[in-house]
Amino acid sequence: MSRPSSAVPLPDWLLLPAALAVLFLLVPLLGVAVRVPWARAPALLATAESVDALRLSLLTCVGATAVSLALGLPLAIVLSRRDGRLAGVVRTVVTIPMVLPPVVAGLALLITFGRRGVVGSALSAWGIEIGFTTVAVVVAQVFVSMPYLVTSVEGALRAAGGANEEMAATLGASPTYALRRVTLPLMLPAVAGGAALTFARALGEFGATITFAGSLQGTTRTLPLQIYQIRELDTDAALALSLVLIVVAALTVGLSGWVARRTVRRRTP
Amino acid sequence: MSRSHLHPTPPHLRAPYLRAPSRAAFLAIVAGCVLTLVLAGCGGARTAGGAASATEPRPVVVFAAASLTAAFQQIAATNPQLDVRFMFDGSPTLVEQLGARPDVADVLATADEVTMGKAAQAGLVAADQRLVATNTPVLIVPKGNPGRITGLDSSLAGKKLVVCAPAVPCGAAAWAVARNAGYDLRPVSEEQKVTDVLGKVTSGEADAGIVFSTDAKRAGDAVATLPLPGAERVVSRSVIALVTQARHPEAATEFIRLVTGDTGRAVLASHGFTLP
């Protein structure tokens, strides 16, 4: 921030609205930190309900990130090598959950994986019901967060280009070998950054969860649901939990940005 | 493969705002703005026309418990002189929002006296609270009773029961009736408003739910109702009060009179509420 990264001068007046934008985003977050009853915060966070919500949130977000990696990474790699019409359609489909209102995502999941849903009724016949279970929470989180992984990793792969892979192919490497020994090592930082974003988004998931998974302590009541549940009864505890969410989100997003910057510096000496 | 050199940025990630907007796009935006202005103007004109023919409907903002939704909407429709704007939600949610901005509503109606008591204690509503109607909890199952539920008993074992959270009036009623029956309530989800419980049962997602008898009636054929033994001793009293910092106190008082008067009582009774 201290050193302009480009020599092209900017008009000074641009700084005023820019500063307002920063304030608008920062002040509400600081407001939470100011209002948190710090002396009582440890006790508020140590209640069984808070601990359960925290544990459930971490567990489900790790699960959602793992599923997103397992499915989203291959999709990102495939998309980065395709430019056709179909790839364009797939890209649009992948982006939709990012801009969809969460409650719509929840309804869509409900009519798909619910007992009377297209997939849910088939699963139900096999005795598998995911409604009101922790699995439903993970499903909702994957639906809203995997797009972040796919988009960010694909963008990084595109920016990197395919020169190294071509070289490997020229030297006789099989596609799988080139993927394993060339593409994957190069994209690791981008994957780490994308996974952090995915984790942060999953952590904040609320609307789809409450619509699709319900709310029960220790099973489906993640941190955001717990905050929603107690915000009118115990504002102090809700604020303390909110602060936890803000800090974890800041750490993950900060980590993702740091990894990305480090990669850029290494690539362009 | 080598084509990727030519496409350093995927098309969907390129910044569209860096391209000069086409003439067609510009015209479309202008047309959109004009259309918006015309529509807004028409809306204003219609209101003004209404004011010329009769007295203008007076606005009143009503925060009401989710269980009162259908009845209150029907009651409001009986008086065209009032322009009633509703917000229906779980009672604690309404009190919380009123607490954050004490002049956001003119009338508060909660599903039980406990929640209204919290609002009164915080000085948000006038001490004079009027009883609207009473309600009792019932057990509902989806149409056809797929879970073969027979009541608050062993038939619920392994089935999906959904109730309101204990802090919400419908949840307080559910836990009270279970306690009276000596039944250990084990729901799969605790919802924040009664309409969410209703939705999860009508959609068949849950095998059973505990709602107010009026909610069960409103759902019609979509659910079957099972009586809860001892429910008559768990009476939730819906109450209505004027908000202390109401911005439309006259219209608010009139709405409260409408609800507690003959018209309101008739509508409430038709929705299955028990009247004082």
Side-chain angles (χ1 to χ4, degrees), chain A residues 80-81 83 91 95 110 114-116 129 131-132 151 154-155 158-159 161-163 166 210-211 214-216 220-221 228-229 231-233, chain B residues 1-5 7-8 10-13 92-93 96 118 142 160 162 165 167 187-192 200 202-207:
Chain A
S80 74
R81 303 281 178 88
D83 285 313
R91 266 185 212 106
T95 322
L110 195 62
R115 271 182 175 175
R116 295 180 186 170
E129 292 196 345
F132 304 115
T151 319
E154 194 215 338
R158 290 261 172 184
E166 270 168 48
I210 204 159
T211 315
S215 171
L216 189 71
T220 49
R221 193 175 293 155
Y228 179 70
Q229 163 101 8
R231 76 197 190 286
E232 54 225 1
L233 306 167
Chain B
M1 289 275 186
S2 62
R3 282 171 67 209
S4 54
H5 290 297
H7 298 271
H12 75 295
L13 289 177
T93 305
E96 189 232 359
K118 285 176 186 160
K160 296 183 173 179
V162 177
V188 293
S189 183
E190 298 169 5
E191 306 289 330
Q192 287 297 306
K200 289 197 160 76
T202 53
S203 69
E205 223 34 57
D207 296 305

Side-chain angles (χ1 to χ4, degrees), chain A residues 42-261:
Chain A
L44 291 172
L45 294 177
T47 63
E49 281 187 318
S50 299
V51 171
D52 274 354
L54 197 60
R55 186 193 304 134
L56 183 67
S57 262
L58 293 179
L59 182 78
T60 53
C61 289
V62 167
T65 310
V67 174
S68 295
L69 281 171
L71 300 177
L73 215 48
L75 176 59
I77 296 171
V78 170
L79 280 179
S80 74
R81 303 281 178 88
R82 296 281 189 281
D83 285 313
R85 189 171 290 262
L86 180 65
V89 173
V90 171
R91 266 185 212 106
T92 309
V93 169
V94 169
T95 322
I96 288 174
M98 295 170 80
V99 294
L100 214 56
V103 64
V104 176
L107 271 178
L109 290 172
L110 195 62
I111 61 165
T112 308
F113 295 103
R115 271 182 175 175
R116 295 180 186 170
V118 187
V119 179
S121 54
L123 287 176
S124 208
W126 287 84
I128 303 169
E129 292 196 345
I130 60 175
F132 304 115
T133 65
T134 308
V135 175
V137 178
V138 177
V139 168
Q141 288 172 342
V142 169
F143 187 76
V144 299
S145 66
M146 185 160 66
Y148 287 81
L149 185 90
V150 176
T151 319
S152 63
V153 172
E154 194 215 338
L157 284 176
R158 290 261 172 184
N164 291 311
E165 284 85 346
E166 270 168 48
M167 185 73 78
T170 317
L171 295 175
S174 72
T176 303
Y177 187 84
L179 179 71
R180 195 159 56 84
R181 300 301 295 268
V182 181
T183 311
L184 283 180
L186 277 176
M187 66 193 276
L188 264 185
V191 172
L197 268 184
T198 305
F199 182 89
R201 177 64 189 90
L203 193 65
E205 165 36 47
F206 169 76
T209 309
I210 204 159
T211 315
F212 176 55
S215 171
L216 189 71
Q217 182 183 343
T219 307
T220 49
R221 193 175 293 155
T222 54
L223 264 184
L225 269 68
Q226 172 70 11
I227 292 169
Y228 179 70
Q229 163 101 8
I230 61 170
R231 76 197 190 286
E232 54 225 1
L233 306 167
D234 191 349
T235 314
D236 287 351
L239 283 169
L241 287 173
S242 301
L243 190 69
V244 171
L245 267 188
I246 293 174
V247 169
V248 175
L251 284 179
T252 29
V253 177
L255 177 78
S256 131
W258 178 72
V259 168
R261 275 195 305 278

